[in-house]
Amino acid sequence: GQNIDQPTEMTATEGAIVQINCTYQTSGFNGLFWYQQHAGEAPTFLSYNVLDGLEEKGRFSSFLSRSKGYSYLLLKELQMKDSASYLCAVIDSNYQLIWGAGTKLIIKP
Amino acid sequence: IAGITQAPTSQILAAGRRMTLRCTQDMRHNAMYWYRQDLGLGLRLIHYSNTAGTTGKGEVPDGYSVSRANTDDFPLTLASAVPSQTSVYFCASSDTGNEQFFGPGTRLTVL
């Protein structure tokens, strides 16, 4: 079967750095997305990785290792508005998007 | 219209009733999707359409049907609603293989 694993919940302090991990086992791989979803709102796109390595975009970075079936999202200089759920999703060999259940990130002052 | 819209925003429905959730996008994306999102389970794909005139079943299609008569619209129909279909429904669109853009969601309660 296909599976994506993320921690259910994480807590971090405002101004700090947090890393949210995602491991996947899918039938094929054609890319990995990270989305942010605030409570009661729709998911919004954060990043896309298809090759190994780090993609940096402002305070957010995403890393991929295809050989390990592993990705992480790194959030720096945390702000209260970063409190949200972070969803990892993988495009499989049929170009279908397989979603993880999401990681709820709680930021404390 | 800017992006992707859904209607209604929320609905309370009696079990056994028929309901259509509407979704419209103006980005000329080929692909469209319907998901349901339940607490602790993440997004689950109900149906999808890779291009106008074609549809496919996702992970949880039972009790739902879709049509794709044109590029812009992708309605989702519950023929006879049941309480287990209480959920938040998101419509999304994309150019195939690229990032998906989501509508604001429909919160459906079936009593």
PDB file of all heavy atoms in Angstrom, chain A residues 33 35 37 40-45 48 87 91 95-97 99-102, chain B residues 35 37 40-43 45 48 50 90 96-104 107:
ATOM      1  N   PHE A  33       5.155  17.590  -2.395  1.00  0.00           N
ATOM      2  CA  PHE A  33       4.670  18.922  -2.058  1.00  0.00           C
ATOM      3  C   PHE A  33       4.565  19.088  -0.550  1.00  0.00           C
ATOM      4  O   PHE A  33       4.291  18.132   0.182  1.00  0.00           O
ATOM      5  CB  PHE A  33       3.259  19.138  -2.627  1.00  0.00           C
ATOM      6  CG  PHE A  33       3.189  19.256  -4.113  1.00  0.00           C
ATOM      7  CD1 PHE A  33       2.841  18.166  -4.895  1.00  0.00           C
ATOM      8  CD2 PHE A  33       3.427  20.467  -4.734  1.00  0.00           C
ATOM      9  CE1 PHE A  33       2.747  18.277  -6.267  1.00  0.00           C
ATOM     10  CE2 PHE A  33       3.340  20.590  -6.113  1.00  0.00           C
ATOM     11  CZ  PHE A  33       2.995  19.492  -6.884  1.00  0.00           C
ATOM     12  N   TYR A  35       2.222  21.662   1.897  1.00  0.00           N
ATOM     13  CA  TYR A  35       1.156  22.646   1.939  1.00  0.00           C
ATOM     14  C   TYR A  35       0.973  23.111   3.386  1.00  0.00           C
ATOM     15  O   TYR A  35       1.211  22.359   4.329  1.00  0.00           O
ATOM     16  CB  TYR A  35      -0.178  22.034   1.464  1.00  0.00           C
ATOM     17  CG  TYR A  35      -0.342  21.962  -0.025  1.00  0.00           C
ATOM     18  CD1 TYR A  35       0.306  20.994  -0.780  1.00  0.00           C
ATOM     19  CD2 TYR A  35      -1.158  22.866  -0.692  1.00  0.00           C
ATOM     20  CE1 TYR A  35       0.138  20.932  -2.152  1.00  0.00           C
ATOM     21  CE2 TYR A  35      -1.337  22.808  -2.062  1.00  0.00           C
ATOM     22  CZ  TYR A  35      -0.675  21.833  -2.779  1.00  0.00           C
ATOM     23  OH  TYR A  35      -0.845  21.784  -4.139  1.00  0.00           O
ATOM     24  N   GLN A  37      -1.963  24.662   6.026  1.00  0.00           N
ATOM     25  CA  GLN A  37      -3.406  24.803   6.175  1.00  0.00           C
ATOM     26  C   GLN A  37      -3.726  25.388   7.544  1.00  0.00           C
ATOM     27  O   GLN A  37      -3.547  24.733   8.571  1.00  0.00           O
ATOM     28  CB  GLN A  37      -4.116  23.454   6.010  1.00  0.00           C
ATOM     29  CG  GLN A  37      -5.628  23.570   6.030  1.00  0.00           C
ATOM     30  CD  GLN A  37      -6.342  22.259   5.782  1.00  0.00           C
ATOM     31  OE1 GLN A  37      -5.786  21.187   6.012  1.00  0.00           O
ATOM     32  NE2 GLN A  37      -7.570  22.326   5.302  1.00  0.00           N
ATOM     33  N   GLY A  40      -9.699  25.869   9.595  1.00  0.00           N
ATOM     34  CA  GLY A  40     -10.901  26.360   8.942  1.00  0.00           C
ATOM     35  C   GLY A  40     -10.684  26.905   7.547  1.00  0.00           C
ATOM     36  O   GLY A  40     -11.616  27.451   6.951  1.00  0.00           O
ATOM     37  N   GLU A  41      -9.465  26.755   7.039  1.00  0.00           N
ATOM     38  CA  GLU A  41      -9.167  27.293   5.711  1.00  0.00           C
ATOM     39  C   GLU A  41      -8.691  26.176   4.780  1.00  0.00           C
ATOM     40  O   GLU A  41      -8.476  25.048   5.184  1.00  0.00           O
ATOM     41  CB  GLU A  41      -8.107  28.383   5.807  1.00  0.00           C
ATOM     42  CG  GLU A  41      -8.553  29.584   6.626  1.00  0.00           C
ATOM     43  CD  GLU A  41      -7.502  30.685   6.669  1.00  0.00           C
ATOM     44  OE1 GLU A  41      -6.497  30.594   5.937  1.00  0.00           O
ATOM     45  OE2 GLU A  41      -7.698  31.629   7.444  1.00  0.00           O
ATOM     46  N   ALA A  42      -8.518  26.543   3.505  1.00  0.00           N
ATOM     47  CA  ALA A  42      -8.043  25.585   2.508  1.00  0.00           C
ATOM     48  C   ALA A  42      -6.520  25.461   2.572  1.00  0.00           C
ATOM     49  O   ALA A  42      -5.827  26.398   2.983  1.00  0.00           O
ATOM     50  CB  ALA A  42      -8.460  26.039   1.113  1.00  0.00           C
ATOM     51  N   PRO A  43      -5.976  24.323   2.161  1.00  0.00           N
ATOM     52  CA  PRO A  43      -4.523  24.206   2.054  1.00  0.00           C
ATOM     53  C   PRO A  43      -3.972  25.168   1.008  1.00  0.00           C
ATOM     54  O   PRO A  43      -4.608  25.412  -0.019  1.00  0.00           O
ATOM     55  CB  PRO A  43      -4.316  22.757   1.602  1.00  0.00           C
ATOM     56  CG  PRO A  43      -5.575  22.044   1.950  1.00  0.00           C
ATOM     57  CD  PRO A  43      -6.658  23.071   1.823  1.00  0.00           C
ATOM     58  N   THR A  44      -2.779  25.686   1.276  1.00  0.00           N
ATOM     59  CA  THR A  44      -2.097  26.536   0.299  1.00  0.00           C
ATOM     60  C   THR A  44      -0.682  26.013   0.074  1.00  0.00           C
ATOM     61  O   THR A  44      -0.029  25.535   1.000  1.00  0.00           O
ATOM     62  CB  THR A  44      -2.031  28.003   0.757  1.00  0.00           C
ATOM     63  OG1 THR A  44      -1.419  28.052   2.044  1.00  0.00           O
ATOM     64  CG2 THR A  44      -3.411  28.617   0.848  1.00  0.00           C
ATOM     65  N   PHE A  45      -0.224  26.112  -1.149  1.00  0.00           N
ATOM     66  CA  PHE A  45       1.059  25.567  -1.577  1.00  0.00           C
ATOM     67  C   PHE A  45       2.224  26.275  -0.902  1.00  0.00           C
ATOM     68  O   PHE A  45       2.262  27.504  -0.802  1.00  0.00           O
ATOM     69  CB  PHE A  45       1.171  25.736  -3.096  1.00  0.00           C
ATOM     70  CG  PHE A  45       2.520  25.451  -3.656  1.00  0.00           C
ATOM     71  CD1 PHE A  45       2.959  24.154  -3.834  1.00  0.00           C
ATOM     72  CD2 PHE A  45       3.369  26.496  -4.017  1.00  0.00           C
ATOM     73  CE1 PHE A  45       4.206  23.892  -4.375  1.00  0.00           C
ATOM     74  CE2 PHE A  45       4.617  26.233  -4.554  1.00  0.00           C
ATOM     75  CZ  PHE A  45       5.036  24.935  -4.728  1.00  0.00           C
ATOM     76  N   TYR A  48       7.780  22.584  -3.480  1.00  0.00           N
ATOM     77  CA  TYR A  48       7.774  21.397  -4.335  1.00  0.00           C
ATOM     78  C   TYR A  48       9.200  20.917  -4.506  1.00  0.00           C
ATOM     79  O   TYR A  48      10.089  21.713  -4.834  1.00  0.00           O
ATOM     80  CB  TYR A  48       7.170  21.741  -5.695  1.00  0.00           C
ATOM     81  CG  TYR A  48       7.265  20.654  -6.730  1.00  0.00           C
ATOM     82  CD1 TYR A  48       6.563  19.470  -6.578  1.00  0.00           C
ATOM     83  CD2 TYR A  48       8.049  20.817  -7.875  1.00  0.00           C
ATOM     84  CE1 TYR A  48       6.631  18.470  -7.539  1.00  0.00           C
ATOM     85  CE2 TYR A  48       8.122  19.817  -8.840  1.00  0.00           C
ATOM     86  CZ  TYR A  48       7.407  18.652  -8.661  1.00  0.00           C
ATOM     87  OH  TYR A  48       7.466  17.661  -9.605  1.00  0.00           O
ATOM     88  N   LEU A  87       1.009  19.858   5.568  1.00  0.00           N
ATOM     89  CA  LEU A  87       0.663  18.624   4.876  1.00  0.00           C
ATOM     90  C   LEU A  87       1.743  18.256   3.876  1.00  0.00           C
ATOM     91  O   LEU A  87       2.156  19.087   3.063  1.00  0.00           O
ATOM     92  CB  LEU A  87      -0.663  18.779   4.121  1.00  0.00           C
ATOM     93  CG  LEU A  87      -1.832  19.420   4.873  1.00  0.00           C
ATOM     94  CD1 LEU A  87      -3.045  19.529   3.964  1.00  0.00           C
ATOM     95  CD2 LEU A  87      -2.167  18.619   6.106  1.00  0.00           C
ATOM     96  N   ILE A  91       3.450  12.756  -5.315  1.00  0.00           N
ATOM     97  CA  ILE A  91       2.873  12.358  -6.604  1.00  0.00           C
ATOM     98  C   ILE A  91       3.387  10.967  -6.926  1.00  0.00           C
ATOM     99  O   ILE A  91       4.605  10.763  -7.040  1.00  0.00           O
ATOM    100  CB  ILE A  91       3.279  13.328  -7.722  1.00  0.00           C
ATOM    101  CG1 ILE A  91       2.935  14.761  -7.353  1.00  0.00           C
ATOM    102  CG2 ILE A  91       2.591  12.949  -9.032  1.00  0.00           C
ATOM    103  CD1 ILE A  91       3.439  15.778  -8.367  1.00  0.00           C
ATOM    104  N   TYR A  95       0.589   9.718 -11.285  1.00  0.00           N
ATOM    105  CA  TYR A  95       0.424  11.167 -11.157  1.00  0.00           C
ATOM    106  C   TYR A  95      -0.763  11.521 -10.261  1.00  0.00           C
ATOM    107  O   TYR A  95      -1.397  12.552 -10.448  1.00  0.00           O
ATOM    108  CB  TYR A  95       0.332  11.844 -12.524  1.00  0.00           C
ATOM    109  CG  TYR A  95       1.677  11.876 -13.205  1.00  0.00           C
ATOM    110  CD1 TYR A  95       2.051  10.851 -14.059  1.00  0.00           C
ATOM    111  CD2 TYR A  95       2.584  12.899 -12.948  1.00  0.00           C
ATOM    112  CE1 TYR A  95       3.313  10.854 -14.648  1.00  0.00           C
ATOM    113  CE2 TYR A  95       3.837  12.905 -13.532  1.00  0.00           C
ATOM    114  CZ  TYR A  95       4.195  11.873 -14.377  1.00  0.00           C
ATOM    115  OH  TYR A  95       5.437  11.865 -14.957  1.00  0.00           O
ATOM    116  N   GLN A  96      -1.054  10.645  -9.307  1.00  0.00           N
ATOM    117  CA  GLN A  96      -2.036  10.942  -8.275  1.00  0.00           C
ATOM    118  C   GLN A  96      -1.301  11.465  -7.056  1.00  0.00           C
ATOM    119  O   GLN A  96      -0.195  11.020  -6.733  1.00  0.00           O
ATOM    120  CB  GLN A  96      -2.846   9.693  -7.913  1.00  0.00           C
ATOM    121  CG  GLN A  96      -3.713   9.175  -9.046  1.00  0.00           C
ATOM    122  CD  GLN A  96      -4.772  10.166  -9.480  1.00  0.00           C
ATOM    123  OE1 GLN A  96      -5.367  10.866  -8.670  1.00  0.00           O
ATOM    124  NE2 GLN A  96      -4.997  10.258 -10.775  1.00  0.00           N
ATOM    125  N   LEU A  97      -1.929  12.374  -6.347  1.00  0.00           N
ATOM    126  CA  LEU A  97      -1.328  12.973  -5.161  1.00  0.00           C
ATOM    127  C   LEU A  97      -1.766  12.181  -3.935  1.00  0.00           C
ATOM    128  O   LEU A  97      -2.958  12.028  -3.688  1.00  0.00           O
ATOM    129  CB  LEU A  97      -1.766  14.430  -5.065  1.00  0.00           C
ATOM    130  CG  LEU A  97      -0.873  15.404  -4.318  1.00  0.00           C
ATOM    131  CD1 LEU A  97       0.544  15.363  -4.846  1.00  0.00           C
ATOM    132  CD2 LEU A  97      -1.432  16.803  -4.439  1.00  0.00           C
ATOM    133  N   TRP A  99      -1.705  12.003   0.093  1.00  0.00           N
ATOM    134  CA  TRP A  99      -1.564  12.981   1.165  1.00  0.00           C
ATOM    135  C   TRP A  99      -1.256  12.318   2.505  1.00  0.00           C
ATOM    136  O   TRP A  99      -1.840  11.297   2.852  1.00  0.00           O
ATOM    137  CB  TRP A  99      -2.863  13.782   1.323  1.00  0.00           C
ATOM    138  CG  TRP A  99      -3.160  14.657   0.159  1.00  0.00           C
ATOM    139  CD1 TRP A  99      -3.801  14.303  -0.990  1.00  0.00           C
ATOM    140  CD2 TRP A  99      -2.811  16.028   0.019  1.00  0.00           C
ATOM    141  NE1 TRP A  99      -3.870  15.387  -1.827  1.00  0.00           N
ATOM    142  CE2 TRP A  99      -3.288  16.458  -1.239  1.00  0.00           C
ATOM    143  CE3 TRP A  99      -2.156  16.949   0.841  1.00  0.00           C
ATOM    144  CZ2 TRP A  99      -3.108  17.766  -1.695  1.00  0.00           C
ATOM    145  CZ3 TRP A  99      -1.993  18.252   0.390  1.00  0.00           C
ATOM    146  CH2 TRP A  99      -2.459  18.647  -0.870  1.00  0.00           C
ATOM    147  N   GLY A 100      -0.374  12.971   3.262  1.00  0.00           N
ATOM    148  CA  GLY A 100      -0.219  12.623   4.665  1.00  0.00           C
ATOM    149  C   GLY A 100      -1.346  13.259   5.467  1.00  0.00           C
ATOM    150  O   GLY A 100      -2.072  14.123   4.965  1.00  0.00           O
ATOM    151  N   ALA A 101      -1.487  12.837   6.715  1.00  0.00           N
ATOM    152  CA  ALA A 101      -2.567  13.336   7.572  1.00  0.00           C
ATOM    153  C   ALA A 101      -2.285  14.738   8.106  1.00  0.00           C
ATOM    154  O   ALA A 101      -3.187  15.380   8.643  1.00  0.00           O
ATOM    155  CB  ALA A 101      -2.814  12.380   8.736  1.00  0.00           C
ATOM    156  N   GLY A 102      -1.025  15.195   7.953  1.00  0.00           N
ATOM    157  CA  GLY A 102      -0.698  16.555   8.380  1.00  0.00           C
ATOM    158  C   GLY A 102      -0.112  16.612   9.775  1.00  0.00           C
ATOM    159  O   GLY A 102      -0.356  15.735  10.610  1.00  0.00           O
TER     160      GLY A 102
ATOM    161  N   TYR B  35     -11.967  16.326  -2.666  1.00  0.00           N
ATOM    162  CA  TYR B  35     -11.453  15.675  -1.464  1.00  0.00           C
ATOM    163  C   TYR B  35     -12.455  15.849  -0.330  1.00  0.00           C
ATOM    164  O   TYR B  35     -13.204  16.817  -0.290  1.00  0.00           O
ATOM    165  CB  TYR B  35     -10.151  16.332  -0.996  1.00  0.00           C
ATOM    166  CG  TYR B  35      -8.966  16.177  -1.901  1.00  0.00           C
ATOM    167  CD1 TYR B  35      -8.648  17.153  -2.846  1.00  0.00           C
ATOM    168  CD2 TYR B  35      -8.126  15.074  -1.795  1.00  0.00           C
ATOM    169  CE1 TYR B  35      -7.533  17.029  -3.657  1.00  0.00           C
ATOM    170  CE2 TYR B  35      -7.000  14.939  -2.602  1.00  0.00           C
ATOM    171  CZ  TYR B  35      -6.712  15.922  -3.529  1.00  0.00           C
ATOM    172  OH  TYR B  35      -5.607  15.806  -4.332  1.00  0.00           O
ATOM    173  N   GLN B  37     -12.123  15.981   3.963  1.00  0.00           N
ATOM    174  CA  GLN B  37     -11.123  16.075   5.024  1.00  0.00           C
ATOM    175  C   GLN B  37     -11.806  15.867   6.365  1.00  0.00           C
ATOM    176  O   GLN B  37     -12.688  16.630   6.745  1.00  0.00           O
ATOM    177  CB  GLN B  37     -10.402  17.427   5.004  1.00  0.00           C
ATOM    178  CG  GLN B  37      -9.221  17.483   5.965  1.00  0.00           C
ATOM    179  CD  GLN B  37      -8.432  18.767   5.848  1.00  0.00           C
ATOM    180  OE1 GLN B  37      -8.977  19.842   5.639  1.00  0.00           O
ATOM    181  NE2 GLN B  37      -7.101  18.670   5.969  1.00  0.00           N
ATOM    182  N   GLY B  40      -7.945  13.981  11.713  1.00  0.00           N
ATOM    183  CA  GLY B  40      -7.019  12.874  11.913  1.00  0.00           C
ATOM    184  C   GLY B  40      -6.791  12.009  10.702  1.00  0.00           C
ATOM    185  O   GLY B  40      -5.922  11.138  10.730  1.00  0.00           O
ATOM    186  N   LEU B  41      -7.548  12.241   9.630  1.00  0.00           N
ATOM    187  CA  LEU B  41      -7.408  11.385   8.448  1.00  0.00           C
ATOM    188  C   LEU B  41      -6.814  12.110   7.254  1.00  0.00           C
ATOM    189  O   LEU B  41      -6.538  11.517   6.246  1.00  0.00           O
ATOM    190  CB  LEU B  41      -8.765  10.813   8.052  1.00  0.00           C
ATOM    191  CG  LEU B  41      -9.383   9.840   9.031  1.00  0.00           C
ATOM    192  CD1 LEU B  41     -10.733   9.363   8.529  1.00  0.00           C
ATOM    193  CD2 LEU B  41      -8.454   8.649   9.269  1.00  0.00           C
ATOM    194  N   GLY B  42      -6.641  13.391   7.337  1.00  0.00           N
ATOM    195  CA  GLY B  42      -6.075  14.117   6.223  1.00  0.00           C
ATOM    196  C   GLY B  42      -7.031  14.190   5.045  1.00  0.00           C
ATOM    197  O   GLY B  42      -8.217  13.880   5.142  1.00  0.00           O
ATOM    198  N   LEU B  43      -6.509  14.592   3.929  1.00  0.00           N
ATOM    199  CA  LEU B  43      -7.300  14.727   2.707  1.00  0.00           C
ATOM    200  C   LEU B  43      -7.426  13.368   2.012  1.00  0.00           C
ATOM    201  O   LEU B  43      -6.425  12.690   1.784  1.00  0.00           O
ATOM    202  CB  LEU B  43      -6.627  15.714   1.751  1.00  0.00           C
ATOM    203  CG  LEU B  43      -6.678  17.181   2.156  1.00  0.00           C
ATOM    204  CD1 LEU B  43      -5.634  17.971   1.387  1.00  0.00           C
ATOM    205  CD2 LEU B  43      -8.060  17.740   1.888  1.00  0.00           C
ATOM    206  N   LEU B  45      -9.044  11.553  -1.465  1.00  0.00           N
ATOM    207  CA  LEU B  45      -9.548  11.840  -2.792  1.00  0.00           C
ATOM    208  C   LEU B  45     -10.831  11.051  -3.054  1.00  0.00           C
ATOM    209  O   LEU B  45     -10.866   9.831  -2.906  1.00  0.00           O
ATOM    210  CB  LEU B  45      -8.491  11.488  -3.840  1.00  0.00           C
ATOM    211  CG  LEU B  45      -8.814  11.795  -5.288  1.00  0.00           C
ATOM    212  CD1 LEU B  45      -8.933  13.304  -5.503  1.00  0.00           C
ATOM    213  CD2 LEU B  45      -7.737  11.210  -6.205  1.00  0.00           C
ATOM    214  N   TYR B  48     -11.774  12.418  -9.368  1.00  0.00           N
ATOM    215  CA  TYR B  48     -10.937  13.379 -10.060  1.00  0.00           C
ATOM    216  C   TYR B  48     -11.300  13.394 -11.535  1.00  0.00           C
ATOM    217  O   TYR B  48     -12.001  12.496 -12.037  1.00  0.00           O
ATOM    218  CB  TYR B  48      -9.447  13.047  -9.873  1.00  0.00           C
ATOM    219  CG  TYR B  48      -9.024  11.747 -10.504  1.00  0.00           C
ATOM    220  CD1 TYR B  48      -8.506  11.706 -11.792  1.00  0.00           C
ATOM    221  CD2 TYR B  48      -9.159  10.544  -9.818  1.00  0.00           C
ATOM    222  CE1 TYR B  48      -8.140  10.505 -12.382  1.00  0.00           C
ATOM    223  CE2 TYR B  48      -8.779   9.343 -10.392  1.00  0.00           C
ATOM    224  CZ  TYR B  48      -8.281   9.328 -11.662  1.00  0.00           C
ATOM    225  OH  TYR B  48      -7.927   8.129 -12.240  1.00  0.00           O
ATOM    226  N   ASN B  50      -9.067  14.376 -15.145  1.00  0.00           N
ATOM    227  CA  ASN B  50      -7.817  14.841 -15.749  1.00  0.00           C
ATOM    228  C   ASN B  50      -8.062  15.815 -16.891  1.00  0.00           C
ATOM    229  O   ASN B  50      -7.157  16.579 -17.260  1.00  0.00           O
ATOM    230  CB  ASN B  50      -6.979  13.669 -16.237  1.00  0.00           C
ATOM    231  CG  ASN B  50      -6.330  12.900 -15.084  1.00  0.00           C
ATOM    232  OD1 ASN B  50      -6.041  13.461 -14.031  1.00  0.00           O
ATOM    233  ND2 ASN B  50      -6.118  11.603 -15.275  1.00  0.00           N
ATOM    234  N   PHE B  90     -13.326  19.710  -0.091  1.00  0.00           N
ATOM    235  CA  PHE B  90     -12.500  20.656  -0.839  1.00  0.00           C
ATOM    236  C   PHE B  90     -12.434  20.245  -2.303  1.00  0.00           C
ATOM    237  O   PHE B  90     -12.185  19.081  -2.629  1.00  0.00           O
ATOM    238  CB  PHE B  90     -11.078  20.707  -0.288  1.00  0.00           C
ATOM    239  CG  PHE B  90     -10.939  21.415   1.024  1.00  0.00           C
ATOM    240  CD1 PHE B  90     -10.766  20.696   2.193  1.00  0.00           C
ATOM    241  CD2 PHE B  90     -10.994  22.796   1.086  1.00  0.00           C
ATOM    242  CE1 PHE B  90     -10.627  21.342   3.408  1.00  0.00           C
ATOM    243  CE2 PHE B  90     -10.861  23.453   2.300  1.00  0.00           C
ATOM    244  CZ  PHE B  90     -10.682  22.723   3.468  1.00  0.00           C
ATOM    245  N   THR B  96      -1.919  19.170 -14.848  1.00  0.00           N
ATOM    246  CA  THR B  96      -1.573  17.809 -14.434  1.00  0.00           C
ATOM    247  C   THR B  96      -0.132  17.708 -13.950  1.00  0.00           C
ATOM    248  O   THR B  96       0.802  18.128 -14.639  1.00  0.00           O
ATOM    249  CB  THR B  96      -1.785  16.835 -15.605  1.00  0.00           C
ATOM    250  OG1 THR B  96      -3.126  16.988 -16.078  1.00  0.00           O
ATOM    251  CG2 THR B  96      -1.580  15.401 -15.151  1.00  0.00           C
ATOM    252  N   GLY B  97       0.036  17.172 -12.732  1.00  0.00           N
ATOM    253  CA  GLY B  97       1.353  16.974 -12.150  1.00  0.00           C
ATOM    254  C   GLY B  97       1.889  18.173 -11.405  1.00  0.00           C
ATOM    255  O   GLY B  97       2.913  18.074 -10.731  1.00  0.00           O
ATOM    256  N   ASN B  98       1.235  19.291 -11.508  1.00  0.00           N
ATOM    257  CA  ASN B  98       1.695  20.504 -10.818  1.00  0.00           C
ATOM    258  C   ASN B  98       0.912  20.731  -9.529  1.00  0.00           C
ATOM    259  O   ASN B  98       0.010  19.972  -9.187  1.00  0.00           O
ATOM    260  CB  ASN B  98       1.555  21.712 -11.738  1.00  0.00           C
ATOM    261  CG  ASN B  98       2.540  21.651 -12.899  1.00  0.00           C
ATOM    262  OD1 ASN B  98       3.542  20.953 -12.826  1.00  0.00           O
ATOM    263  ND2 ASN B  98       2.240  22.360 -13.959  1.00  0.00           N
ATOM    264  N   GLU B  99       1.259  21.804  -8.840  1.00  0.00           N
ATOM    265  CA  GLU B  99       0.601  22.101  -7.576  1.00  0.00           C
ATOM    266  C   GLU B  99      -0.900  22.245  -7.756  1.00  0.00           C
ATOM    267  O   GLU B  99      -1.387  22.700  -8.790  1.00  0.00           O
ATOM    268  CB  GLU B  99       1.166  23.387  -6.979  1.00  0.00           C
ATOM    269  CG  GLU B  99       0.834  24.613  -7.806  1.00  0.00           C
ATOM    270  CD  GLU B  99       1.387  25.887  -7.225  1.00  0.00           C
ATOM    271  OE1 GLU B  99       0.738  26.456  -6.334  1.00  0.00           O
ATOM    272  OE2 GLU B  99       2.448  26.296  -7.700  1.00  0.00           O
ATOM    273  N   GLN B 100      -1.619  21.837  -6.723  1.00  0.00           N
ATOM    274  CA  GLN B 100      -3.069  21.957  -6.744  1.00  0.00           C
ATOM    275  C   GLN B 100      -3.486  23.218  -6.013  1.00  0.00           C
ATOM    276  O   GLN B 100      -2.935  23.566  -4.965  1.00  0.00           O
ATOM    277  CB  GLN B 100      -3.699  20.729  -6.086  1.00  0.00           C
ATOM    278  CG  GLN B 100      -3.451  19.456  -6.886  1.00  0.00           C
ATOM    279  CD  GLN B 100      -4.163  18.248  -6.305  1.00  0.00           C
ATOM    280  OE1 GLN B 100      -5.002  18.359  -5.414  1.00  0.00           O
ATOM    281  NE2 GLN B 100      -3.846  17.077  -6.850  1.00  0.00           N
ATOM    282  N   PHE B 101      -4.485  23.882  -6.570  1.00  0.00           N
ATOM    283  CA  PHE B 101      -5.070  25.062  -5.959  1.00  0.00           C
ATOM    284  C   PHE B 101      -6.428  24.661  -5.393  1.00  0.00           C
ATOM    285  O   PHE B 101      -7.229  24.039  -6.097  1.00  0.00           O
ATOM    286  CB  PHE B 101      -5.249  26.176  -6.999  1.00  0.00           C
ATOM    287  CG  PHE B 101      -3.958  26.721  -7.515  1.00  0.00           C
ATOM    288  CD1 PHE B 101      -3.277  26.078  -8.538  1.00  0.00           C
ATOM    289  CD2 PHE B 101      -3.406  27.873  -6.976  1.00  0.00           C
ATOM    290  CE1 PHE B 101      -2.069  26.569  -9.022  1.00  0.00           C
ATOM    291  CE2 PHE B 101      -2.209  28.380  -7.460  1.00  0.00           C
ATOM    292  CZ  PHE B 101      -1.549  27.726  -8.478  1.00  0.00           C
ATOM    293  N   PHE B 102      -6.670  25.048  -4.160  1.00  0.00           N
ATOM    294  CA  PHE B 102      -7.866  24.602  -3.467  1.00  0.00           C
ATOM    295  C   PHE B 102      -8.914  25.696  -3.370  1.00  0.00           C
ATOM    296  O   PHE B 102      -8.594  26.882  -3.216  1.00  0.00           O
ATOM    297  CB  PHE B 102      -7.512  24.147  -2.048  1.00  0.00           C
ATOM    298  CG  PHE B 102      -6.829  22.805  -2.013  1.00  0.00           C
ATOM    299  CD1 PHE B 102      -5.476  22.687  -2.289  1.00  0.00           C
ATOM    300  CD2 PHE B 102      -7.555  21.668  -1.707  1.00  0.00           C
ATOM    301  CE1 PHE B 102      -4.855  21.445  -2.265  1.00  0.00           C
ATOM    302  CE2 PHE B 102      -6.932  20.420  -1.684  1.00  0.00           C
ATOM    303  CZ  PHE B 102      -5.586  20.317  -1.965  1.00  0.00           C
ATOM    304  N   GLY B 103     -10.173  25.265  -3.440  1.00  0.00           N
ATOM    305  CA  GLY B 103     -11.278  26.146  -3.121  1.00  0.00           C
ATOM    306  C   GLY B 103     -11.397  26.302  -1.612  1.00  0.00           C
ATOM    307  O   GLY B 103     -10.714  25.619  -0.856  1.00  0.00           O
ATOM    308  N   PRO B 104     -12.290  27.176  -1.163  1.00  0.00           N
ATOM    309  CA  PRO B 104     -12.415  27.474   0.273  1.00  0.00           C
ATOM    310  C   PRO B 104     -13.082  26.377   1.085  1.00  0.00           C
ATOM    311  O   PRO B 104     -13.047  26.414   2.310  1.00  0.00           O
ATOM    312  CB  PRO B 104     -13.260  28.754   0.293  1.00  0.00           C
ATOM    313  CG  PRO B 104     -14.036  28.716  -0.973  1.00  0.00           C
ATOM    314  CD  PRO B 104     -13.151  28.053  -1.982  1.00  0.00           C
ATOM    315  N   ARG B 107     -18.550  22.933   4.187  1.00  0.00           N
ATOM    316  CA  ARG B 107     -18.726  22.163   5.433  1.00  0.00           C
ATOM    317  C   ARG B 107     -20.122  21.550   5.397  1.00  0.00           C
ATOM    318  O   ARG B 107     -21.116  22.263   5.423  1.00  0.00           O
ATOM    319  CB  ARG B 107     -18.563  23.092   6.626  1.00  0.00           C
ATOM    320  CG  ARG B 107     -18.439  22.387   7.962  1.00  0.00           C
ATOM    321  CD  ARG B 107     -18.072  23.390   9.053  1.00  0.00           C
ATOM    322  NE  ARG B 107     -16.768  24.000   8.807  1.00  0.00           N
ATOM    323  CZ  ARG B 107     -15.618  23.506   9.233  1.00  0.00           C
ATOM    324  NH1 ARG B 107     -15.588  22.383   9.910  1.00  0.00           N
ATOM    325  NH2 ARG B 107     -14.488  24.134   8.981  1.00  0.00           N
TER     326      ARG B 107
END
